[in-house]
Amino acid sequence: MEAVTTPARGAALEIDGLSKAFYGTRALDRVSFVVRPGELVGLIGPNGSGKTTLIDCVTGVLRPDDGGVRLDGRSITGLPAHRLAKRGLIRTFQQVRVFTSADVRDNIVAGGFATVLPSRYLFNPAHWAATAARADALIAELGLSRVRGTSAGHVSYGQRKLIEFAAGLLCDPRLMFLDEPVAAVNPTLALTMRQRIRALHEAGVTIVLVEHNLEVVLDLCERLVVLDHGVKIADGPPADVMALPEVQEAYLGR
Amino acid sequence: MHVFIDEVVNGLTLGSEYALVAAGLALIFGVVQIVNFAHGELYMVGAYLLYLAQTYLNWPYVPAAALAVLAMGLFGLIFYVAVIRTMIGKGWQLQLVATLAASVVLINLAIVTVGSIPKVVVSPLTATILTAYFVRLSAQRLVVLVCALVAFAGLYGFLKYTKAGKAMRAMSQNRDAAVVVGIPIERVTLSAVVTGAMLAGVAAVTIPPLSNVNPTMGASVTLQAFAAVVMGGFGNVTGAIVSAVLLGLAEAIGIIWVPSEYADAIVFGVMIAVLLFRPHGLFGRAARA
Amino acid sequence: MVRLGASQSFAWTAALVAALVLPFIVTVPYYISTAIFALIYVTLAVSFDLVVGRIGALSLAQPVFYGYGAYAAALLATHARPGPGFWIEAAVAVLGAPLLALAIGIPAFRLSLHSFAMGTLGFALIAQLVANNWLDLTRGPMCISAIAPLRLSYPGGVLQIVTLRQSYYVVLAIAVLAVASVALIARSRLGMAFRAVRDDPLLAAARGLSPNQMRLIAFTVSAGLSALAGVFAAHFETVVCPSYLDLGITVLLLIMVFVGGAGSLRGVVTAAVVFTIGPELLRLVAAWRLVLFGIILLFTVTAFPDGFEQLYAAAGRALSRRRSAGPAEEQAWKP
């Protein structure tokens, strides 16, 4: 399957001592790990372990209480989300988000805002024509052609996940956080999604994948980072990590 | 020095006025996330109820005041049914516009029914002057402060110890959890609106004897009450009360140096300044997504 | 991007033609006057809708920009006789109002939604206080009066806008400019950016859009258009008072936007016309007028939150069902 993004050098990510507390509960407790360019890392852990909070802190949605984040060696801690998106740090949302007043095609074309300066939103027909062409190609490949003109609020949950993923691709990501991309999606769409993720990986984009579906995680990821109650409890190759007693305990519960 | 103390007393009275209105506003917002633009008009309605009780029923001050406050509870019910109940859960812009519309209706109904000429309500204590050291103040001002304190003590007890009060605090902290746990949302919201209306009623019967009753009197309190609620951290009743008193003091003391027409500007200036440094208010809630 | 359906293009064209020939069909001066007020409010309402309906920020400060335009024109026209003429005044309005908008918007947009509304209200009140009390500049409640007619210079001479008919065409041009500007923005990528920020600011940011930048753009454009309306109004009414900054104007604009349908150009334009002409037809006393407005607004917001747009959209669907041969018009969004 063709990779649709222009081959991008994947970004490197360093997370250093990230902490975040809400109303006294520590959602993240000095979490540190490194993601090398082009790696496909799985971020796993039981519900409430802080995975989405981590993504929020890294992508500028939340301000961490402590610690720092570096993208390709440059500090990005506390930068607003839109600036990070323009640097190629793209994410999808656990509760899938789309622009409800726009149709499917425009939702995907909107990814074009990340790759151009605001001063060039208007009067830039070349950029938007290219974006539209890429969007059309993606729509065809992802099987969304029939609903391209439908309002994004009216398509199925799985289709919305595909839309979100496609829009993210159009942002020319160098590092992509995928927050449960196949959760609650029917098996056919899930397969499509997995193929796209693999293609993205082969194109060289760094990927951090949050997923509960261990089969998907073990299939795709080269490395796993495990969080439990906001603390990193493991970091390494999937087979090794899954064999660790603390990891099994975390999943089987106390 | 006399001037300063005078203004401090003024400020406390003003602050109490704002605080009684702000407390109800904060309570309603905390419980149902609706910013009630018409809250100042509840104050105005209460004052007119006192006027009607005194002028047409010929009741003396205390019974008339008590009647007005109770009647405000009933008015709170009507207000809830007509405005608040249908707006729960609708987008916040629609809610704000709905309460703004209610405010416009109430003000102009007052104008066309009772007229825009200011009316007088009388309290036997307005003329009584108390003197202590340098201070001369009308006893009515003391009444305002005492009633405000009693009202807030009652509110505190209500929120902390009664079932309805606890339900309101629960809804204020975590709406979804409150629903799941089975708290009767509509009834609790109704109680909050009625409580807010009655608090405004307390302000309405204690303060107008010091000035007058007119259709736009609510407007001059609403903005300050809002500023207090915003400063105090939306939905935080204690924060709103404290901020309201601070704003009242700031306004009264500020007038020593600044022309009195700019009183509103002082209040808003303080509010904007606070928000710039602490966007969630002085006692604000933690960031929500 | 959205293309207008055939019936919609026809409706807009018909409306424009009707507006162009109106002064020749309706000759009673009072009616032309009313039409002029309607067009002033069309300008104000569509520019207000740019902020409230299209970028989703409930600003209560619109009269500040309208008043700025009016006072700027009044001061320019009375401090030197003859005044500098329409083009200079328009430039001062259209360039100065955005600066004012930035001064208000940059701090205000840092606030949360509710606080933003309150913050803009605070600025509006302060502006009204200044207008009422800075007597040296604005003459306060005594107003700036005896403003000479608008002077439009063109290659070859100067046209004085003296008759009602002339005024009508000037304000019509301004209103058309406002409507066209908003329509063009809506159809452009900028409009797409606005809708994205309105729908989901968090998602928009995750896609590289700065919500605050977009809000400021909408706010400044809106300010410029409203200020232009103020310039015209100053000359048309020949008097500029602090009442230009009154909260009542905000209330009326809110009605026009919400009863018309936030984000709907056709709805807002319709509501602007209905709510200026309606009260004149009903000849209500001001206070009763406001009671009625308030009730209408309350009722609309509780029962028909999409306002007139709901009616238009339903009509549109009914029309396309009639023409069942062709594909139904896309319901994607309103123009």
Side-chain angles (χ1 to χ4, degrees), chain A residues 154-176:
Chain A
H154 293 152
V155 298
S156 76
Y157 182 79
Q159 285 171 320
R160 266 180 274 158
K161 288 216 138 148
L162 280 178
I163 293 169
E164 223 196 354
F165 183 71
L169 288 185
L170 248 67
C171 296
D172 280 342
R174 297 180 54 236
L175 191 154
M176 202 150 169

Side-chain angles (χ1 to χ4, degrees), chain B residues 29 35 86-87 90 92-94 96-98 100-101 104-105 108-109 112 223 226 234 261-262 265 268 275-276, chain C residues 52 56 58 107 110-111 113-115 118 121-122 125 129 133 254 258 287-288 290-291 294-295 297-298 301-302 305:
Chain B
F29 183 83
V35 177
T86 44
M87 298 311 296
K90 298 243 171 102
W92 66 276
Q93 289 174 314
L94 291 176
L96 201 149
V97 171
L100 187 63
V104 168
V105 171
N108 288 282
L109 268 179
V112 298
L223 304 165
F226 268 116
F234 266 104
E261 299 85 34
Y262 287 99
F268 271 97
L275 285 179
L276 281 178
Chain C
V52 173
L58 191 62
R110 291 178 49 183
L111 306 173
L113 308 173
H114 295 103
S115 304
M118 291 314 306
L121 184 63
L125 284 165
L129 272 173
N133 294 297
L254 283 170
F258 282 97
W288 274 116
L290 283 171
V291 173
I295 294 178
L297 188 55
L298 187 57
V301 161
T302 46

Side-chain angles (χ1 to χ4, degrees), chain A residues 76-206:
Chain A
I76 60 168
T77 327
L79 284 184
H82 66 272
R83 289 261 289 273
L84 295 174
K86 284 193 142 67
R87 290 200 200 177
L89 186 56
I90 304 299
R91 69 164 301 174
T92 61
F93 289 87
Q94 189 182 23
Q95 263 103 40
V96 64
R97 285 175 181 253
V98 290
F99 296 121
T100 45
S101 75
D103 62 23
V104 168
R105 183 172 185 263
D106 279 333
N107 258 274
I108 298 175
V109 171
F113 284 115
T115 50
V116 73
L117 288 175
S119 53
R120 315 225 53 216
Y121 286 163
L122 302 174
F123 317 123
N124 200 343
H127 168 75
W128 291 108
T131 308
R134 286 169 64 192
D136 289 333
L138 258 180
I139 287 173
E141 286 175 37
L142 291 174
L144 292 169
S145 303
R146 261 188 0 148
V147 293
R148 55 186 283 134
T150 314
S151 161
H154 293 152
V155 298
S156 76
Y157 182 79
Q159 285 171 320
R160 266 180 274 158
K161 288 216 138 148
L162 280 178
I163 293 169
E164 223 196 354
F165 183 71
L169 288 185
L170 248 67
C171 296
D172 280 342
R174 297 180 54 236
L175 191 154
M176 202 150 169
F177 278 96
L178 295 169
D179 203 340
E180 302 194 26
V182 297
V185 166
N186 74 60
T188 322
L189 282 176
L191 189 61
T192 310
M193 189 69 89
R194 283 166 68 166
Q195 289 168 333
R196 305 305 315 195
I197 296 175
R198 189 172 281 118
L200 195 63
H201 174 52
E202 282 159 16
V205 175
T206 316

Side-chain angles (χ1 to χ4, degrees), chain B residues 31-48:
Chain B
V31 163
V32 81
Q33 272 77 55
I34 291 182
V35 177
N36 184 13
F37 247 92
H39 210 80
E41 276 58 62
L42 294 179
Y43 170 64
M44 182 258 296
V45 168
Y48 271 106

Side-chain angles (χ1 to χ4, degrees), chain A residues 61 81-82 85-86 90-91 93 97-103 106 109-111 113-114 118 121-122 128 149 164 167-168 171, chain C residues 1 188-193 195-211 213-214 330-333:
Chain A
V61 171
H82 66 272
K86 284 193 142 67
I90 304 299
R91 69 164 301 174
F93 289 87
R97 285 175 181 253
V98 290
F99 296 121
T100 45
S101 75
D103 62 23
D106 279 333
V109 171
F113 284 115
Y121 286 163
L122 302 174
W128 291 108
E164 223 196 354
C171 296
Chain C
M1 294 196 263
S188 72
R189 294 300 172 187
L190 189 62
M192 190 194 222
R195 281 187 293 275
V197 168
R198 178 194 63 189
D199 282 354
D200 194 336
L202 199 60
L203 179 61
R207 299 277 174 266
L209 282 169
S210 164
Q213 246 177 28
M214 295 300 111
E330 285 189 15
Q331 237 287 295
W333 51 42

Side-chain angles (χ1 to χ4, degrees), chain C residues 22 45 67 75 104 111 119 154 174 216 222 261 271 280-281 283 294 305 325:
Chain C
L22 187 80
L75 288 169
I104 296 178
L111 306 173
Y154 60 95
I174 293 177
L216 284 171
S222 164
E280 293 301 317
L281 287 178
R283 309 260 176 159

